[in-house]
Amino acid sequence: MENARTIWLTGATSGIGEALAKRFLKEGRNVALTARNSRKLKTFVARLGNDESLLAVPADVTSSEQLGAAYRSIKETWGAPDMVIANAGTHINMPASELTAEKCRTLIDINLVGAINTLLIGLPDMLERGSGHLVGVGSLSSYRGLPLAAAYGATKAGLNNFLQSLRFDVETYGLHVTAINPGFVKTPLTDRNTYPMPLIIEADKAADYIWRGLEKHKMEIHFPAAFSWSCKLLRVLPYPLYHALVRRITGSAKRRG
Ligand SMILES: NC(=O)c1ccc[n+]([C@@H]2O[C@H](COP(=O)([O-])OP(=O)(O)OC[C@H]3O[C@@H](n4cnc5c(N)ncnc54)[C@H](OP(=O)(O)O)[C@@H]3O)[C@@H](O)[C@H]2O)c1
């Protein structure tokens, strides 16, 4: 398949999405940008030079109607996108005393249901055309359970499983599927964290890893390597050993609340 000319990116106004949008623009791609805050989105586009390669299509990914309207705008402007990147997501650290079903539902709605909503809107056009690239942004925290991340980890594990299954179902039509699993990236989302974040990288560096992986149509893009390969190794540890080790590394056994 040719590499994508037209890309639809959600979560485009901040952090990883912002860095990716700039990178795609630099590489000469048409980029349609989605986020909820339309004023911030328009300011961001204006700051990038109001380039004719950019299109602001505000939407909340939890709303199929809003996403549908955004998708129709892209089609009317450039035709159906070649690549859809479900990047919009958020995180709420939840110690046991603050774990509520409502907060969990918020994360599931944005990170998992919102990502699936985004990926499936363009699927019929891609299947008909016999080409396209569907991309979801997961997290290394999807590999195994971590402290404070019961809901977040579940959404990202769910998304990874969704993408793995989807690949079987769409590859015979000529479509590509990629899961992006970042380690810690410095963004407004991680600026809220008060715990140590090993091997944290800048968003531009993350965009660089992602750009290179997408150009190769990789099944999974995970980074930074030293951290992601350690996480992969931890996946094969027997559960009690994994639990004891993570408790020790993160100090979670001492934490209360
Ligand atoms: N930073 C990390 O260390 C890290 C690590 C692993 C995975 N990730 C994943 O990478 C993705 C981007 O994270 P980030 O750190 O760049 O976050 P961020 O800086 O907080 O940016 C989040 C972006 O998503 C948009 N957004 C949030 N909720 C939305 C919704 N319901 N509908 C549409 N847009 C929405 C936000 O704009 P509006 O508020 O205007 O909607 C913003 O543009 C997320 O999926 C996150 O889980 C991040």
Side-chain angles (χ1 to χ4, degrees):
M1 188 194 103
E2 293 276 305
N3 287 325
R5 298 298 315 160
T6 301
I7 299 163
W8 182 21
L9 171 68
T10 68
T13 52
S14 170
I16 296 172
E18 177 179 348
L20 265 180
K22 289 177 182 162
R23 182 64 192 256
F24 289 141
L25 191 62
K26 193 174 142 211
E27 301 289 348
R29 304 304 199 256
N30 292 330
V31 203
L33 308 169
T34 288
R36 290 167 301 187
N37 185 330
S38 57
R39 187 185 294 180
K40 190 174 169 191
L41 185 57
K42 281 178 189 142
T43 310
F44 176 54
V45 168
R47 222 175 349 116
L48 289 178
N50 242 335
D51 196 288
E52 61 185 20
S53 305
L54 287 172
L55 185 66
V57 281
D60 185 328
V61 296
T62 64
S63 161
S64 299
E65 291 72 29
Q66 290 182 25
L67 281 177
Y71 187 74
R72 282 192 296 279
S73 298
I74 302 168
K75 275 183 84 169
E76 281 161 17
T77 311
W78 293 318
D82 310 305
M83 182 187 285
V84 175
I85 307 181
N87 167 67
T90 192
H91 181 29
I92 311 171
N93 285 312
M94 285 187 235
S97 59
E98 292 168 26
L99 199 52
T100 65
E102 199 187 338
K103 282 191 211 159
C104 292
R105 201 173 305 115
T106 300
L107 286 193
I108 293 166
D109 281 349
I110 298 175
N111 294 2
L112 181 57
V113 180
I116 292 172
N117 285 342
T118 308
L119 294 168
L120 294 191
I121 279 198
L123 183 61
D125 283 332
M126 287 187 180
L127 292 178
E128 195 182 318
R129 204 172 54 205
S131 69
H133 195 162
L134 295 165
V135 183
V137 179
S139 163
L140 292 181
S141 69
S142 64
Y143 289 176
R144 285 192 96 161
L146 288 169
L148 303 174
Y152 183 77
T155 64
K156 296 300 187 179
L159 181 57
N160 265 276
N161 201 300
F162 179 83
L163 293 167
Q164 281 179 25
S165 293
L166 186 66
R167 170 179 275 269
F168 287 112
D169 300 331
V170 302
E171 64 187 354
T172 51
Y173 290 81
L175 271 57
H176 296 277
V177 177
T178 298
I180 298 172
N181 287 317
F184 292 110
V185 182
K186 188 169 170 17
T187 69
L189 186 145
T190 47
D191 286 345
R192 301 198 292 260
N193 293 342
T194 51
Y195 47 80
M197 292 180 276
L199 301 179
I200 189 163
I201 59 169
E202 295 295 326
D204 286 345
K205 182 75 191 159
D208 195 41
Y209 284 122
I210 294 170
W211 165 257
R212 283 190 275 128
L214 290 177
E215 284 290 285
K216 292 178 190 153
H217 301 119
K218 282 192 159 187
M219 284 188 194
E220 187 193 9
I221 301 168
H222 56 89
F223 56 82
F227 194 48
S228 59
W229 282 108
S230 307
C231 293
K232 282 181 184 293
L233 279 177
L234 287 176
R235 275 205 293 204
V236 300
L237 282 189
Y239 191 2
L241 194 55
Y242 170 79
H243 186 76
L245 189 67
V246 172
R247 242 162 62 130
R248 197 186 169 114
I249 294 170
T250 62
S252 74
K254 295 192 209 97
R255 194 181 296 124
R256 287 284 177 275

